[in-house]
């Protein structure tokens, strides 16, 4: 029987334990009873317990690799699981994928290699292993070991993403076998071979996640499985798409930005998660580097309430002191906050009211400006995500209920009064046809910049694939990188603060389009007197 422990767990905890064992004092003061006492003080209903960290050392006796020597052979994983269950705290075991310094150091053939032939983690704190290498079999053995020997309710796989673009021999061989090409090193989102490489990276990541999930399902079919979920809005280099979400029973990820990012992430998780509640996770301290300075009680409480208001559970992260102790103040503070917010939990459930949908395309998390660059020089800019967050900000400021949807919800657009397509750089036929059907049925769309101009194979069309419903055709783009929009007579109400003489500034170029006769033009493109990139002629 499947144990949906997460349906009743709104107070969740993670204690980071990424600690090397070069110093004899590290973890020397670890006390399992005190650890669980702190969880109880915080009113945690579930806890993520480390079996294995980014360092690659285990917190239990392992046949594969090494145990943290600061524990002197103590099986603290077993100890904490037993104590948590005595306190009715659900246990989720933590396992770090890809980030594994021990495996990296002891198996050079497993290392991620960059386009220049160097080890990607050469100057990194953690070693990273390629999921196409023999590392796969190592993970299988470790996960089998954990699942066969311990009793717990869930397993969390962290870091299920590509830390960088890998050019190791395993990736080269797999790409040649599947696609029949050599790995390209020049970024070009209009080159089918380059795009095929990115699609392969996305596919390989899902394949690796599915392998890890399947091992858990085979040995412990009744527990939950989750993969790190904060990377769905990360750049293309991470290789994360919505297909990865199918390997998690629910979405849970850590975020450290402001209220717009938090609101956006919660709404994305609400619609993408296979089950609810999802988990919104952030550190209780100022940041992951400063783990001794606690955030204000008011800020932490607002984070908890934001998560609950969006139908999610809250997960607070603390970092253990290197010697193995915990700050009691952190847990007392969280216990007080959870005690107050518990009053709202009886009202949770039902269906979120979301009038507007902001569409997130996980295949559009790149920048066309990188075309022609060596992969080592590619930026981490994500114009599509920036536009989506901009739309979210406007909706929040105007108190308009909205949701964040992905291709998973493409056939459910009819439930929204309007759908925002924010600079979606690539679309496929299914998405285009679903949007057209939505408009045909009376729906309203807002589309910006490159939306529907390029396919997911990297083929740039001569015109917008949604041109017929938008009432425009594509001419090109302005060469100027700073432009304006001037309102027409019909657009004066929309651009009430601007005029033809004092138009709205746009911090970037614009698409040049021709409006069809039936279209109503609300604003026209206005260019600056001189090209901002011309340093000799300016005003």
């Amino acid at each position: 029987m499947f144990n949906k422990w997460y349906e009743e767990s709104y107070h969740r905890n993670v204690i980071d334990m990424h600690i090397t064992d070069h110093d004899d004092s590290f973890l020397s003061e670890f006390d399992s009873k005190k650890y669980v006492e702190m969880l109880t003080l915080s009113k945690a209903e579930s806890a993520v317990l480390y079996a294995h960290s980014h360092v690659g050392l285990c917190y239990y006796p392992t046949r594969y690799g090494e145990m943290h020597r600061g524990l002197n052979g103590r099986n603290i994983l077993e100890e904490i699981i037993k104590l948590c269950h005595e306190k009715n705290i659900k246990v989720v075991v933590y396992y770090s994928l890809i980030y594994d310094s021990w495996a990296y150091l002891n198996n050079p053939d497993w290392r991620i290699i960059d386009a220049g032939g160097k080890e990607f983690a050469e100057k990194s704190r953690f070693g990273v292993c390629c999921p196409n290498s023999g590392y796969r079999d190592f993970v299988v053995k470790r996960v089998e070991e954990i699942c066969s020997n311990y009793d717990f309710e869930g397993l969390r796989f962290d870091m299920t993403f590509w830390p960088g673009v890998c050019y190791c021999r395993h990736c080269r061989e797999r790409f040649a076998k599947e696609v029949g090409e050599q790995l390209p090193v020049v970024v070009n989102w209009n080159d089918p071979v380059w795009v095929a490489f990115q699609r392969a990276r996305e596919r390989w990541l899902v394949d690796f996640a599915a392998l890890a999930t399947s091992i858990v399902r085979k040995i412990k079919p009744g527990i939950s499985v989750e993969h790190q979920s904060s990377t769905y809005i990360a750049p293309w280099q991470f290789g994360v798409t919505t297909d990865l979400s199918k390997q998690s029973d629910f979405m849970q990820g850590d975020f450290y930005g402001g209220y717009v990012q938090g609101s956006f992430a919660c709404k994305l998780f609400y619609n993408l998660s296979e089950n609810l509640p999802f988990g919104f996770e952030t550190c209780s301290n100022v940041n992951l580097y400063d783990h001794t300075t606690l955030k204000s009680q008011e800020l932490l409480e607002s984070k908890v309430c934001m998560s609950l208001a969006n139908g999610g559970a809250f997960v607070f992260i603390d970092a253990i002191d290197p010697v193995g102790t915990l700050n009691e103040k952190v847990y007392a503070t969280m216990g007080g906050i959870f005690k107050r917010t518990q009053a709202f939990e009886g009202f949770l459930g039902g269906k979120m009211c979301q009038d507007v949908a902001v569409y997130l395309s996980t295949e559009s998390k790149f920048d066309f400006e990188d075309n022609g660059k060596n992969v080592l020089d590619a930026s981490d800019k994500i114009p599509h995500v920036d536009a989506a967050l901009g739309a979210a900000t406007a909706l929040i400021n105007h108190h308009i209920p909205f949701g964040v949807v992905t291709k998973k919800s493409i056939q459910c657009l009819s439930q929204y009064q309007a759908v925002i397509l924010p600079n979606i750089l690539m679309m496929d036929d299914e998405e285009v046809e679903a949007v057209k059907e939505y408009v045909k049925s009376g729906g309203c769309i807002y589309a910006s910049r490159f939306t529907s101009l390029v396919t997911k194979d990297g083929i740039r069309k001569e015109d917008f694939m949604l041109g017929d419903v938008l009432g425009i055709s594509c001419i090109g783009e302005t060469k100027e990188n700073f432009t304006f929009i001037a309102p027409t007579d019909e657009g004066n109400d929309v651009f009430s603060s601007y005029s033809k003489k004092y138009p709205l500034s746009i911090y970037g170029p614009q698409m040049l389009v021709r409006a069809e006769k039936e279209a109503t033009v609300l604003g026209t493109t206005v260019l600056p007197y001189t090209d901002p990139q011309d340093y000799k002629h300016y005003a």
Side-chain angles (χ1 to χ4, degrees):
M1 182 177 179
F2 190 72
N3 177 15
K4 294 189 176 182
W5 62 269
Y6 47 82
E7 291 184 347
E8 306 297 327
S9 175
Y10 284 92
H11 311 161
R12 305 181 190 178
N13 163 263
V14 179
I15 299 176
D16 274 358
M17 293 178 64
H18 305 293
I19 300 173
T20 60
D21 62 358
H22 73 281
D23 188 313
D24 289 340
S25 69
F26 287 178
L27 294 183
S28 63
E29 298 179 35
F30 186 89
D31 184 332
S32 296
K33 289 184 178 180
K34 189 67 175 178
Y35 185 105
V36 178
E37 283 178 11
M38 292 299 99
L39 294 178
T40 304
L41 180 62
S42 72
K43 300 191 181 302
E45 297 164 333
S46 68
V48 175
L49 309 183
Y50 274 48
H52 163 267
S53 75
H54 298 349
V55 177
L57 301 176
C58 295
Y59 295 113
Y60 68 93
T62 178
R63 295 169 55 196
Y64 311 103
E66 290 184 26
M67 187 176 176
H68 196 291
R69 68 184 183 90
L71 298 176
N72 294 312
R74 284 178 57 201
N75 189 342
I76 64 170
L77 177 64
E78 184 176 63
E79 290 176 12
I80 308 172
I81 289 176
K82 183 173 183 278
L83 291 168
C84 280
H85 284 162
E86 288 175 0
K87 296 293 184 180
N88 198 30
I89 297 172
K90 304 302 180 184
V91 172
V92 178
V93 169
Y94 176 101
Y95 190 92
S96 175
L97 290 176
I98 298 176
Y99 281 64
D100 188 323
S101 295
W102 185 91
Y104 171 90
L105 291 171
N106 286 277
N107 300 274
D109 188 52
W110 297 357
R111 298 173 183 176
I112 288 180
I113 305 298
D114 69 21
K118 295 183 178 180
E119 295 170 3
F120 182 80
E122 193 176 60
K123 297 180 180 180
S124 172
R125 172 178 289 186
F126 304 114
V128 289
C129 300
C130 176
N132 282 333
S133 70
Y135 173 69
R136 295 168 67 91
D137 295 331
F138 178 71
V139 168
V140 169
K141 291 175 183 177
R142 274 264 189 89
V143 175
E144 286 177 339
E145 179 181 61
I146 294 168
C147 289
S148 299
N149 290 289
Y150 300 97
D151 178 30
F152 48 89
E153 286 69 47
L155 201 151
R156 168 185 288 195
F157 290 112
D158 197 9
M159 317 306 278
T160 313
F161 59 84
W162 291 96
V165 185
C166 184
Y167 288 81
C168 74
R169 71 177 183 88
H170 307 287
C171 287
R172 294 198 308 270
E173 290 169 3
R174 187 169 183 179
F175 190 68
K177 181 178 179 180
E178 293 179 0
V179 182
E181 298 279 355
Q182 292 184 339
L183 292 184
V185 295
V186 176
V187 176
N188 188 347
W189 296 103
N190 297 122
D191 174 16
V193 176
W194 169 260
V195 176
F197 179 33
Q198 175 64 7
R199 297 291 169 260
R201 297 177 68 247
E202 295 163 356
R203 185 172 66 252
W204 295 340
L205 186 67
V206 173
D207 172 67
F208 179 62
L211 173 66
T213 296
S214 68
I215 300 304
V216 182
R217 291 273 184 265
K218 178 182 176 181
I219 301 173
K220 286 187 175 300
I223 73 168
S224 66
V225 181
E226 55 180 290
H227 288 264
Q228 164 62 264
S229 300
S230 61
T231 50
Y232 287 85
I233 58 174
W236 66 271
Q237 288 93 333
F238 286 59
V240 174
T241 61
T242 53
D243 284 342
L244 182 62
S245 67
K246 298 171 186 176
Q247 301 306 319
S248 296
D249 289 306
F250 60 91
M251 309 295 287
Q252 185 156 289
D254 50 325
F255 295 88
Y256 308 97
Y259 73 94
V260 174
Q261 185 200 66
S263 177
F264 189 90
C266 284
K267 291 171 173 60
L268 169 63
F269 284 2
Y270 179 83
N271 288 314
L272 187 56
S273 186
E274 293 290 312
N275 294 284
L276 295 173
F278 61 84
F280 177 81
E281 190 173 344
T282 194
C283 52
S284 53
N285 298 296
V286 171
N287 55 54
L288 292 180
Y289 296 93
D290 179 1
H291 90 283
T292 65
T293 307
L294 189 63
K295 286 176 180 170
S296 72
Q297 183 172 298
E298 292 78 10
L299 178 57
L300 286 170
E301 191 163 334
S302 72
K303 297 284 187 183
V304 178
C305 289
M306 179 197 68
S307 184
L308 291 175
N310 284 282
F314 183 77
V315 193
F316 75 95
I317 308 172
D318 186 28
I320 202 165
D321 301 324
V323 295
T325 53
L326 295 168
N327 182 358
E328 185 171 335
K329 183 179 179 181
V330 172
Y331 298 85
T333 299
M334 289 309 306
I337 292 172
F338 280 146
K339 182 178 180 180
R340 288 189 294 278
T341 60
Q342 197 165 14
F344 304 116
E345 292 169 20
F347 302 97
L348 300 177
K351 188 175 181 180
M352 295 288 290
C353 295
Q354 300 177 335
D355 294 343
V356 176
V358 178
Y359 195 81
L360 179 71
S361 167
T362 51
E363 292 83 9
S364 296
K365 299 182 296 179
F366 62 88
D367 189 352
F368 281 123
E369 293 295 320
D370 283 336
N371 282 357
K373 293 181 181 179
N374 184 285
V375 66
L376 295 172
D377 300 320
S379 72
D380 58 359
K381 294 180 180 178
I382 327 176
H384 164 56
V385 174
D386 291 342
L389 289 170
T393 302
L395 292 165
I396 290 171
N397 290 343
H398 289 82
H399 310 292
I400 298 173
F402 72 98
V404 179
V405 301
T406 62
K407 193 174 181 181
K408 178 184 178 183
S409 306
I410 196 65
Q411 301 304 328
C412 305
L413 298 182
S414 60
Q415 65 185 353
Y416 301 98
Q417 296 180 40
V419 174
I420 295 175
L421 307 174
N423 193 14
I424 298 178
L425 305 189
M426 289 183 172
M427 294 184 74
D428 61 26
D429 291 340
E430 183 184 4
E431 290 170 312
V432 170
E433 292 307 313
V435 171
K436 287 185 177 182
E437 186 59 35
Y438 168 71
V439 174
K440 183 178 179 181
S441 301
C444 297
I445 63 170
Y446 167 91
S448 63
R449 203 167 179 192
F450 290 113
T451 298
S452 83
L453 195 57
V454 180
T455 72
K456 288 188 179 177
D457 297 321
I459 306 300
R460 178 163 175 151
K461 297 288 189 176
E462 292 184 4
D463 207 346
F464 298 108
M465 291 178 277
L466 290 173
D468 53 346
V469 295
L470 295 171
I472 57 173
S473 56
C474 180
I475 299 174
E477 301 171 65
T478 64
K479 71 178 185 350
E480 292 82 1
N481 61 10
F482 191 98
T483 54
F484 304 88
I485 296 177
T488 62
D489 292 341
E490 293 86 352
N492 277 329
D493 290 341
V494 176
F495 297 93
S496 58
S497 299
Y498 303 94
S499 64
K500 291 180 180 179
K501 185 173 179 61
Y502 298 104
L504 171 67
S505 300
I506 303 296
Y507 285 73
Q510 289 184 55
M511 300 302 295
L512 296 172
V513 301
R514 179 182 295 107
E516 303 299 333
K517 291 182 180 180
E518 299 81 5
T520 300
V521 178
L522 302 178
T524 58
T525 301
V526 173
L527 301 178
Y529 282 103
T530 62
D531 185 345
Q533 298 175 94
D534 184 343
Y535 298 111
K536 293 184 177 180
H537 307 91
Y538 55 88

